[in-house]
PDB file of all heavy atoms in Angstrom:
ATOM      1  N   LYS A1007     102.636  94.881 -16.154  1.00  0.00           N
ATOM      2  CA  LYS A1007     101.237  95.470 -16.368  1.00  0.00           C
ATOM      3  C   LYS A1007     100.312  94.610 -15.655  1.00  0.00           C
ATOM      4  O   LYS A1007      99.377  95.339 -14.913  1.00  0.00           O
ATOM      5  CB  LYS A1007     100.971  95.525 -17.814  1.00  0.00           C
ATOM      6  CG  LYS A1007     101.739  96.495 -18.732  1.00  0.00           C
ATOM      7  CD  LYS A1007     101.254  96.563 -20.202  1.00  0.00           C
ATOM      8  CE  LYS A1007     101.985  97.603 -20.961  1.00  0.00           C
ATOM      9  NZ  LYS A1007     101.547  97.598 -22.395  1.00  0.00           N
ATOM     10  N   ARG A1008     100.392  93.352 -15.604  1.00  0.00           N
ATOM     11  CA  ARG A1008      99.333  92.499 -15.009  1.00  0.00           C
ATOM     12  C   ARG A1008      99.469  92.737 -13.432  1.00  0.00           C
ATOM     13  O   ARG A1008      98.426  92.850 -12.767  1.00  0.00           O
ATOM     14  CB  ARG A1008      99.584  91.140 -15.306  1.00  0.00           C
ATOM     15  CG  ARG A1008      98.691  90.021 -14.573  1.00  0.00           C
ATOM     16  CD  ARG A1008      99.257  88.764 -14.713  1.00  0.00           C
ATOM     17  NE  ARG A1008     100.490  88.515 -13.949  1.00  0.00           N
ATOM     18  CZ  ARG A1008     101.420  87.637 -14.254  1.00  0.00           C
ATOM     19  NH1 ARG A1008     101.372  86.881 -15.304  1.00  0.00           N
ATOM     20  NH2 ARG A1008     102.515  87.644 -13.541  1.00  0.00           N
ATOM     21  N   ASP A1009     100.632  92.748 -12.908  1.00  0.00           N
ATOM     22  CA  ASP A1009     100.770  92.786 -11.410  1.00  0.00           C
ATOM     23  C   ASP A1009     100.740  94.147 -10.809  1.00  0.00           C
ATOM     24  O   ASP A1009     100.383  94.284  -9.596  1.00  0.00           O
ATOM     25  CB  ASP A1009     102.072  91.987 -11.053  1.00  0.00           C
ATOM     26  CG  ASP A1009     102.118  90.613 -11.437  1.00  0.00           C
ATOM     27  OD1 ASP A1009     101.034  90.034 -11.648  1.00  0.00           O
ATOM     28  OD2 ASP A1009     103.168  89.928 -11.364  1.00  0.00           O
ATOM     29  N   PHE A1010     101.150  95.102 -11.510  1.00  0.00           N
ATOM     30  CA  PHE A1010     101.294  96.519 -11.046  1.00  0.00           C
ATOM     31  C   PHE A1010     100.558  97.591 -11.780  1.00  0.00           C
ATOM     32  O   PHE A1010     100.666  98.779 -11.390  1.00  0.00           O
ATOM     33  CB  PHE A1010     102.664  96.877 -10.787  1.00  0.00           C
ATOM     34  CG  PHE A1010     103.443  95.998  -9.866  1.00  0.00           C
ATOM     35  CD1 PHE A1010     104.256  94.937 -10.323  1.00  0.00           C
ATOM     36  CD2 PHE A1010     103.402  96.130  -8.517  1.00  0.00           C
ATOM     37  CE1 PHE A1010     104.955  94.138  -9.455  1.00  0.00           C
ATOM     38  CE2 PHE A1010     104.024  95.295  -7.645  1.00  0.00           C
ATOM     39  CZ  PHE A1010     104.810  94.252  -8.074  1.00  0.00           C
ATOM     40  N   GLY A1011      99.900  97.200 -12.912  1.00  0.00           N
ATOM     41  CA  GLY A1011      99.269  98.260 -13.680  1.00  0.00           C
ATOM     42  C   GLY A1011     100.251  99.190 -14.328  1.00  0.00           C
ATOM     43  O   GLY A1011      99.893 100.316 -14.630  1.00  0.00           O
ATOM     44  N   TYR A1012     101.422  98.720 -14.601  1.00  0.00           N
ATOM     45  CA  TYR A1012     102.476  99.495 -15.173  1.00  0.00           C
ATOM     46  C   TYR A1012     102.053  99.993 -16.546  1.00  0.00           C
ATOM     47  O   TYR A1012     101.590  99.275 -17.396  1.00  0.00           O
ATOM     48  CB  TYR A1012     103.803  98.683 -15.277  1.00  0.00           C
ATOM     49  CG  TYR A1012     104.974  99.345 -16.037  1.00  0.00           C
ATOM     50  CD1 TYR A1012     105.566 100.385 -15.516  1.00  0.00           C
ATOM     51  CD2 TYR A1012     105.343  98.840 -17.227  1.00  0.00           C
ATOM     52  CE1 TYR A1012     106.630 101.002 -16.171  1.00  0.00           C
ATOM     53  CE2 TYR A1012     106.403  99.399 -17.892  1.00  0.00           C
ATOM     54  CZ  TYR A1012     107.088 100.441 -17.420  1.00  0.00           C
ATOM     55  OH  TYR A1012     108.103 100.986 -18.031  1.00  0.00           O
ATOM     56  N   ASN A1013     102.195 101.263 -16.766  1.00  0.00           N
ATOM     57  CA  ASN A1013     101.752 101.804 -18.069  1.00  0.00           C
ATOM     58  C   ASN A1013     102.718 102.955 -18.577  1.00  0.00           C
ATOM     59  O   ASN A1013     102.426 104.097 -18.362  1.00  0.00           O
ATOM     60  CB  ASN A1013     100.343 102.382 -18.037  1.00  0.00           C
ATOM     61  CG  ASN A1013      99.810 102.873 -19.373  1.00  0.00           C
ATOM     62  OD1 ASN A1013     100.158 102.376 -20.390  1.00  0.00           O
ATOM     63  ND2 ASN A1013      98.997 103.971 -19.209  1.00  0.00           N
ATOM     64  N   PRO A1014     103.812 102.651 -19.209  1.00  0.00           N
ATOM     65  CA  PRO A1014     104.774 103.695 -19.753  1.00  0.00           C
ATOM     66  C   PRO A1014     103.995 104.477 -20.823  1.00  0.00           C
ATOM     67  O   PRO A1014     103.489 103.835 -21.802  1.00  0.00           O
ATOM     68  CB  PRO A1014     105.945 102.916 -20.316  1.00  0.00           C
ATOM     69  CG  PRO A1014     105.323 101.526 -20.610  1.00  0.00           C
ATOM     70  CD  PRO A1014     104.370 101.186 -19.588  1.00  0.00           C
ATOM     71  N   ASN A1015     104.020 105.837 -20.700  1.00  0.00           N
ATOM     72  CA  ASN A1015     103.226 106.466 -21.655  1.00  0.00           C
ATOM     73  C   ASN A1015     103.886 107.807 -22.142  1.00  0.00           C
ATOM     74  O   ASN A1015     103.352 108.742 -22.610  1.00  0.00           O
ATOM     75  CB  ASN A1015     101.885 106.915 -21.017  1.00  0.00           C
ATOM     76  CG  ASN A1015     102.060 107.655 -19.794  1.00  0.00           C
ATOM     77  OD1 ASN A1015     103.023 108.218 -19.435  1.00  0.00           O
ATOM     78  ND2 ASN A1015     100.920 107.658 -19.037  1.00  0.00           N
ATOM     79  N   THR A1016     105.235 107.875 -21.997  1.00  0.00           N
ATOM     80  CA  THR A1016     106.052 109.014 -22.424  1.00  0.00           C
ATOM     81  C   THR A1016     106.553 108.799 -23.894  1.00  0.00           C
ATOM     82  O   THR A1016     107.517 107.980 -24.091  1.00  0.00           O
ATOM     83  CB  THR A1016     107.167 109.390 -21.544  1.00  0.00           C
ATOM     84  OG1 THR A1016     106.679 109.508 -20.213  1.00  0.00           O
ATOM     85  CG2 THR A1016     107.794 110.796 -21.942  1.00  0.00           C
ATOM     86  N   PRO A1017     106.094 109.437 -24.874  1.00  0.00           N
ATOM     87  CA  PRO A1017     106.716 109.216 -26.218  1.00  0.00           C
ATOM     88  C   PRO A1017     108.131 109.651 -26.271  1.00  0.00           C
ATOM     89  O   PRO A1017     108.600 110.553 -25.484  1.00  0.00           O
ATOM     90  CB  PRO A1017     105.858 110.265 -27.184  1.00  0.00           C
ATOM     91  CG  PRO A1017     104.608 110.582 -26.232  1.00  0.00           C
ATOM     92  CD  PRO A1017     105.029 110.498 -24.926  1.00  0.00           C
ATOM     93  N   VAL A1018     108.920 108.932 -27.082  1.00  0.00           N
ATOM     94  CA  VAL A1018     110.401 109.181 -27.154  1.00  0.00           C
ATOM     95  C   VAL A1018     110.698 110.531 -27.430  1.00  0.00           C
ATOM     96  O   VAL A1018     111.637 111.131 -26.825  1.00  0.00           O
ATOM     97  CB  VAL A1018     111.030 108.139 -28.125  1.00  0.00           C
ATOM     98  CG1 VAL A1018     112.458 108.469 -28.330  1.00  0.00           C
ATOM     99  CG2 VAL A1018     110.867 106.716 -27.494  1.00  0.00           C
ATOM    100  N   GLU A1019     110.061 111.179 -28.446  1.00  0.00           N
ATOM    101  CA  GLU A1019     110.427 112.455 -28.766  1.00  0.00           C
ATOM    102  C   GLU A1019     110.176 113.496 -27.606  1.00  0.00           C
ATOM    103  O   GLU A1019     110.928 114.416 -27.414  1.00  0.00           O
ATOM    104  CB  GLU A1019     109.647 112.888 -30.076  1.00  0.00           C
ATOM    105  CG  GLU A1019     110.168 114.311 -30.633  1.00  0.00           C
ATOM    106  CD  GLU A1019     110.268 114.214 -32.168  1.00  0.00           C
ATOM    107  OE1 GLU A1019     110.142 113.168 -32.862  1.00  0.00           O
ATOM    108  OE2 GLU A1019     110.446 115.318 -32.677  1.00  0.00           O
ATOM    109  N   GLU A1020     109.085 113.326 -26.892  1.00  0.00           N
ATOM    110  CA  GLU A1020     108.807 114.184 -25.735  1.00  0.00           C
ATOM    111  C   GLU A1020     109.876 113.943 -24.692  1.00  0.00           C
ATOM    112  O   GLU A1020     110.350 114.973 -24.009  1.00  0.00           O
ATOM    113  CB  GLU A1020     107.456 113.865 -25.185  1.00  0.00           C
ATOM    114  CG  GLU A1020     107.044 114.657 -23.919  1.00  0.00           C
ATOM    115  CD  GLU A1020     107.128 116.092 -24.031  1.00  0.00           C
ATOM    116  OE1 GLU A1020     106.961 116.595 -25.260  1.00  0.00           O
ATOM    117  OE2 GLU A1020     107.387 116.821 -23.118  1.00  0.00           O
ATOM    118  N   GLY A1021     110.325 112.716 -24.458  1.00  0.00           N
ATOM    119  CA  GLY A1021     111.390 112.379 -23.406  1.00  0.00           C
ATOM    120  C   GLY A1021     112.660 113.087 -23.818  1.00  0.00           C
ATOM    121  O   GLY A1021     113.379 113.705 -22.970  1.00  0.00           O
ATOM    122  N   ILE A1022     112.942 113.027 -25.146  1.00  0.00           N
ATOM    123  CA  ILE A1022     114.256 113.641 -25.553  1.00  0.00           C
ATOM    124  C   ILE A1022     114.042 115.230 -25.407  1.00  0.00           C
ATOM    125  O   ILE A1022     115.035 115.864 -24.974  1.00  0.00           O
ATOM    126  CB  ILE A1022     114.537 113.360 -27.106  1.00  0.00           C
ATOM    127  CG1 ILE A1022     114.770 111.890 -27.226  1.00  0.00           C
ATOM    128  CG2 ILE A1022     115.665 114.249 -27.697  1.00  0.00           C
ATOM    129  CD1 ILE A1022     114.897 111.396 -28.659  1.00  0.00           C
ATOM    130  N   ARG A1023     112.951 115.714 -25.695  1.00  0.00           N
ATOM    131  CA  ARG A1023     112.760 117.216 -25.489  1.00  0.00           C
ATOM    132  C   ARG A1023     113.029 117.698 -24.090  1.00  0.00           C
ATOM    133  O   ARG A1023     113.719 118.567 -23.876  1.00  0.00           O
ATOM    134  CB  ARG A1023     111.390 117.647 -26.008  1.00  0.00           C
ATOM    135  CG  ARG A1023     111.171 119.122 -26.052  1.00  0.00           C
ATOM    136  CD  ARG A1023     109.697 119.412 -26.580  1.00  0.00           C
ATOM    137  NE  ARG A1023     109.406 118.717 -27.758  1.00  0.00           N
ATOM    138  CZ  ARG A1023     109.724 119.188 -28.993  1.00  0.00           C
ATOM    139  NH1 ARG A1023     110.528 120.297 -29.075  1.00  0.00           N
ATOM    140  NH2 ARG A1023     109.432 118.493 -30.015  1.00  0.00           N
ATOM    141  N   ARG A1024     112.470 116.882 -23.100  1.00  0.00           N
ATOM    142  CA  ARG A1024     112.686 117.188 -21.732  1.00  0.00           C
ATOM    143  C   ARG A1024     114.227 117.085 -21.331  1.00  0.00           C
ATOM    144  O   ARG A1024     114.593 117.911 -20.569  1.00  0.00           O
ATOM    145  CB  ARG A1024     111.809 116.344 -20.852  1.00  0.00           C
ATOM    146  CG  ARG A1024     110.239 116.493 -21.126  1.00  0.00           C
ATOM    147  CD  ARG A1024     109.563 115.513 -20.241  1.00  0.00           C
ATOM    148  NE  ARG A1024     108.055 115.470 -20.568  1.00  0.00           N
ATOM    149  CZ  ARG A1024     107.248 114.627 -20.037  1.00  0.00           C
ATOM    150  NH1 ARG A1024     107.669 113.646 -19.184  1.00  0.00           N
ATOM    151  NH2 ARG A1024     106.036 114.652 -20.451  1.00  0.00           N
ATOM    152  N   PHE A1025     114.842 116.129 -21.959  1.00  0.00           N
ATOM    153  CA  PHE A1025     116.306 115.949 -21.577  1.00  0.00           C
ATOM    154  C   PHE A1025     116.977 117.120 -22.202  1.00  0.00           C
ATOM    155  O   PHE A1025     117.897 117.752 -21.527  1.00  0.00           O
ATOM    156  CB  PHE A1025     116.782 114.644 -22.086  1.00  0.00           C
ATOM    157  CG  PHE A1025     118.296 114.583 -22.056  1.00  0.00           C
ATOM    158  CD1 PHE A1025     118.992 114.313 -21.012  1.00  0.00           C
ATOM    159  CD2 PHE A1025     119.091 114.945 -23.131  1.00  0.00           C
ATOM    160  CE1 PHE A1025     120.320 114.218 -20.847  1.00  0.00           C
ATOM    161  CE2 PHE A1025     120.473 115.015 -23.108  1.00  0.00           C
ATOM    162  CZ  PHE A1025     121.112 114.643 -21.907  1.00  0.00           C
ATOM    163  N   VAL A1026     116.711 117.538 -23.337  1.00  0.00           N
ATOM    164  CA  VAL A1026     117.511 118.616 -24.010  1.00  0.00           C
ATOM    165  C   VAL A1026     117.247 119.931 -23.268  1.00  0.00           C
ATOM    166  O   VAL A1026     118.165 120.742 -23.097  1.00  0.00           O
ATOM    167  CB  VAL A1026     117.064 118.769 -25.465  1.00  0.00           C
ATOM    168  CG1 VAL A1026     117.641 120.009 -26.103  1.00  0.00           C
ATOM    169  CG2 VAL A1026     117.692 117.631 -26.304  1.00  0.00           C
ATOM    170  N   GLU A1027     115.979 120.090 -22.880  1.00  0.00           N
ATOM    171  CA  GLU A1027     115.716 121.379 -22.005  1.00  0.00           C
ATOM    172  C   GLU A1027     116.580 121.357 -20.698  1.00  0.00           C
ATOM    173  O   GLU A1027     117.140 122.391 -20.382  1.00  0.00           O
ATOM    174  CB  GLU A1027     114.250 121.393 -21.684  1.00  0.00           C
ATOM    175  CG  GLU A1027     113.354 121.755 -22.923  1.00  0.00           C
ATOM    176  CD  GLU A1027     111.873 121.689 -22.583  1.00  0.00           C
ATOM    177  OE1 GLU A1027     111.610 121.212 -21.465  1.00  0.00           O
ATOM    178  OE2 GLU A1027     111.083 121.948 -23.464  1.00  0.00           O
ATOM    179  N   TRP A1028     116.650 120.266 -20.029  1.00  0.00           N
ATOM    180  CA  TRP A1028     117.486 120.144 -18.854  1.00  0.00           C
ATOM    181  C   TRP A1028     118.946 120.324 -19.200  1.00  0.00           C
ATOM    182  O   TRP A1028     119.624 121.125 -18.481  1.00  0.00           O
ATOM    183  CB  TRP A1028     117.276 118.742 -18.210  1.00  0.00           C
ATOM    184  CG  TRP A1028     118.318 118.536 -17.178  1.00  0.00           C
ATOM    185  CD1 TRP A1028     118.429 119.048 -15.938  1.00  0.00           C
ATOM    186  CD2 TRP A1028     119.649 117.922 -17.405  1.00  0.00           C
ATOM    187  NE1 TRP A1028     119.555 118.647 -15.229  1.00  0.00           N
ATOM    188  CE2 TRP A1028     120.383 117.992 -16.118  1.00  0.00           C
ATOM    189  CE3 TRP A1028     120.180 117.187 -18.403  1.00  0.00           C
ATOM    190  CZ2 TRP A1028     121.578 117.454 -15.890  1.00  0.00           C
ATOM    191  CZ3 TRP A1028     121.524 116.672 -18.300  1.00  0.00           C
ATOM    192  CH2 TRP A1028     122.157 116.724 -17.081  1.00  0.00           C
ATOM    193  N   TYR A1029     119.401 119.717 -20.219  1.00  0.00           N
ATOM    194  CA  TYR A1029     120.820 119.880 -20.622  1.00  0.00           C
ATOM    195  C   TYR A1029     121.225 121.201 -20.895  1.00  0.00           C
ATOM    196  O   TYR A1029     122.270 121.714 -20.479  1.00  0.00           O
ATOM    197  CB  TYR A1029     121.086 118.912 -21.853  1.00  0.00           C
ATOM    198  CG  TYR A1029     122.566 118.865 -22.212  1.00  0.00           C
ATOM    199  CD1 TYR A1029     123.303 117.773 -21.799  1.00  0.00           C
ATOM    200  CD2 TYR A1029     123.132 119.833 -23.069  1.00  0.00           C
ATOM    201  CE1 TYR A1029     124.698 117.753 -22.125  1.00  0.00           C
ATOM    202  CE2 TYR A1029     124.475 119.728 -23.428  1.00  0.00           C
ATOM    203  CZ  TYR A1029     125.252 118.700 -22.970  1.00  0.00           C
ATOM    204  OH  TYR A1029     126.578 118.661 -23.351  1.00  0.00           O
ATOM    205  N   ARG A1030     120.433 121.959 -21.710  1.00  0.00           N
ATOM    206  CA  ARG A1030     120.684 123.329 -22.073  1.00  0.00           C
ATOM    207  C   ARG A1030     120.765 124.181 -20.803  1.00  0.00           C
ATOM    208  O   ARG A1030     121.600 125.113 -20.684  1.00  0.00           O
ATOM    209  CB  ARG A1030     119.728 123.812 -23.127  1.00  0.00           C
ATOM    210  CG  ARG A1030     119.914 123.273 -24.529  1.00  0.00           C
ATOM    211  CD  ARG A1030     118.985 124.070 -25.496  1.00  0.00           C
ATOM    212  NE  ARG A1030     119.095 123.660 -26.860  1.00  0.00           N
ATOM    213  CZ  ARG A1030     120.009 124.090 -27.742  1.00  0.00           C
ATOM    214  NH1 ARG A1030     120.864 125.005 -27.239  1.00  0.00           N
ATOM    215  NH2 ARG A1030     119.994 123.664 -28.886  1.00  0.00           N
TER     216      ARG A1030
END
């Protein structure tokens, strides 16, 4: 975060939902 402004902001449930949509 300090060196690159890294900011992970994807909630786990939303990430799972996107995976499931792709999988189906």
Side-chain angles (χ1 to χ4, degrees):
K1007 289 183 176 181
R1008 177 195 66 205
D1009 293 348
F1010 297 100
Y1012 175 69
N1013 182 34
N1015 56 16
T1016 307
V1018 168
E1019 189 140 350
E1020 176 59 27
I1022 294 172
R1023 186 179 308 280
R1024 294 177 192 175
F1025 170 82
V1026 168
E1027 289 174 355
W1028 166 81
Y1029 185 95
R1030 286 188 178 278

